[in-house]
Amino acid sequence: MTAAEADWTEAVRLLSSHDDVTLVCHVGPDGDALGSMLALGIALRDKGVAVRASWGSRPFEVPAAYAALPGLDLLVEAAEVPAAPALLVTFDTGSVDRLGVLADRVGTADAVLVIDHHTTNTRFGTVNLVDERAAATAVIVVELLDRMGLPLTAEIAAPVYTGLITDTGSFKYAATTPSVHELAARLLATGIRHDVISRDIWDTAPFAYVGLLGSVCSRAELDSDAVNGLGLVWSTVTAEDLQLHGLALSDVEGVIDVLRTSREAEVAAVLKTDPEDGLIKVSIRSKGQIDVGALCSSLGGGGHRFAAGFTSADPCEVTVSRLREALATAPHLPA
Ligand code: AMP
Ligand code: MN
Ligand code: MN
């Protein structure tokens, strides 16, 4: 479902009638969550609005891949987010629980604008700008800026480009439409250093990551019988791995991209233990035959058709068997 014309009108009206706006994105922000939030934040600040942006998980540290983005000075720690914001805007967040410790602000804010593209979005805003067909939340933000008549400056284009390449895997995934490339052309025309942005996201990691990847990949398991014979490849990133290699959870986002290269498996999963809360954050990808978004919803999480996740309080073995069970009965998508 794309957003209705009435939702766009309401969204523009909300943003045009507030001179103080609070922005929040999902916990453990990725390039689209952070990028879409910073892009709107910069645009609003440029027009004189008082803006702050945050997310509700720890550590409150910008992942290294995004540390050179413009607009980071808009960020405030979760504790500094007003108790009852006049206007709260959420980015790339499919459900209230994905706001972590800031989830309560959805109830205390006077108005809530939800900007998102998750198929599992629960429409928890007073206005919901949800377009499941958008390749990234950042795409929706650009349409919003256009409708508000705000300029797409190079400062805004950089975080938008970050969201776009994060969620399309650098224009490789099925969500990459002609309009995605047209938007990319518009962004590049502002003069952004897309080469540096891409290198920071895809081609830069601490040397310790190579070591961690070695351990994680060497214990990866291929279960050819899983998913009704379509195959599952999975591995774990333990709290000990992170500690041993001196890495944060945000440093290991790319592990799933290595595992999912396995030709023999339709589905790939990485079970990452969050050292902050001890919970297992499960990342799942499929190659097109299994709707892992729906699957993760049934396990308490959410996401998109071919990229999704859930959080588990169970030990690793229990989590894997719950996942296997759900995968065994998951309906296959038409080819
Ligand atoms: P990730 O594997 O963390 O890159 O996440 C893949 C997709 O699934 C993203 O769109 C996330 O927003 C979504 N996702 C991951 N974990 C969860 C969760 N616990 N609940 C809902 N959505 C999730
Ligand atoms: Mn995201
Ligand atoms: Mn996204």
Side-chain angles (χ1 to χ4, degrees):
M1 268 262 297
T2 54
E5 203 52 40
D7 298 323
W8 284 108
T9 310
E10 269 302 286
V12 170
R13 192 192 59 77
L14 269 183
L15 286 170
S16 310
S17 60
H18 285 81
D19 56 10
D20 187 292
V21 181
T22 299
L23 314 178
V24 289
C25 69
H26 69 68
V27 291
D30 51 28
D32 189 32
L34 194 59
S36 57
M37 177 167 78
L38 294 177
L40 187 65
I42 296 167
L44 291 175
R45 181 173 60 186
D46 285 352
K47 93 181 204 28
V49 174
V51 190
R52 64 204 66 79
S54 191
W55 64 84
S57 64
R58 297 183 56 78
F60 193 77
E61 228 169 74
V62 176
Y66 316 121
L69 282 179
L72 296 179
D73 51 320
L74 294 169
L75 296 174
V76 300
E77 296 235 11
E80 291 167 44
V81 169
L87 174 58
L88 183 75
V89 187
T90 71
F91 297 82
D92 206 37
T93 303
S95 52
V96 176
D97 61 295
R98 294 281 288 157
L99 294 174
V101 299
L102 290 172
D104 64 327
R105 304 305 200 279
V106 171
T108 57
D110 294 333
V112 181
L113 170 60
V114 168
I115 308 179
D116 188 34
H117 67 134
H118 285 91
T119 49
T120 52
N121 189 286
T122 59
R123 271 83 175 166
F124 58 89
T126 44
V127 177
N128 299 287
L129 220 41
V130 179
D131 183 352
E132 294 162 0
R133 288 189 299 195
T137 298
V139 173
I140 308 173
V141 165
V142 172
E143 179 161 356
L144 190 54
L145 297 183
D146 288 345
R147 285 174 179 255
M148 293 175 72
L150 299 175
L152 186 62
T153 62
E155 251 207 327
I156 296 169
V160 168
Y161 193 77
T162 298
L164 197 61
I165 64 170
T166 306
D167 275 24
T168 61
S170 280
F171 311 106
K172 286 182 298 191
Y173 304 155
T176 312
T177 56
S179 71
V180 164
H181 281 293
E182 279 158 17
L183 174 56
R186 239 183 112 188
L187 299 171
L188 262 53
T190 66
I192 55 166
R193 286 296 305 269
H194 59 91
D195 55 332
V196 176
I197 295 173
S198 286
R199 188 169 60 225
D200 285 352
I201 293 177
W202 307 114
D203 300 327
T204 307
F207 177 65
Y209 180 65
V210 179
L212 175 134
L213 210 47
S215 323
V216 172
C217 291
S218 68
R219 61 172 179 258
E221 290 191 29
L222 175 67
D223 182 347
S224 307
D225 296 331
V227 204
N228 263 316
L230 294 179
L232 166 71
V233 61
W234 66 277
S235 192
T236 54
V237 177
T238 64
E240 294 74 42
D241 289 324
L242 295 175
Q243 198 187 6
L244 180 69
H245 296 279
L247 294 171
L249 206 58
S250 61
D251 291 321
V252 301
E253 258 185 61
V255 170
I256 188 78
D257 291 321
V258 179
L259 280 197
R260 73 183 171 83
T261 57
S262 309
R263 180 176 285 134
E264 297 88 340
E266 161 68 17
V267 176
V270 178
L271 287 76
K272 301 169 280 192
T273 304
D274 187 340
E276 291 287 336
D277 56 18
L279 299 175
I280 299 181
K281 311 282 158 81
V282 187
S283 283
I284 315 219
R285 302 291 183 268
S286 82
K287 290 181 180 154
Q289 292 189 71
I290 300 291
D291 182 344
V292 290
L295 182 109
C296 287
S297 271
S298 75
L299 295 166
H304 309 283
R305 277 197 305 167
F306 308 138
F310 67 97
T311 300
S312 171
D314 294 324
C316 187
E317 308 73 51
V318 179
T319 305
V320 173
S321 45
R322 277 173 58 213
L323 175 61
R324 255 191 244 277
E325 257 172 56
L327 283 169
T329 54
H332 294 194
L333 293 168

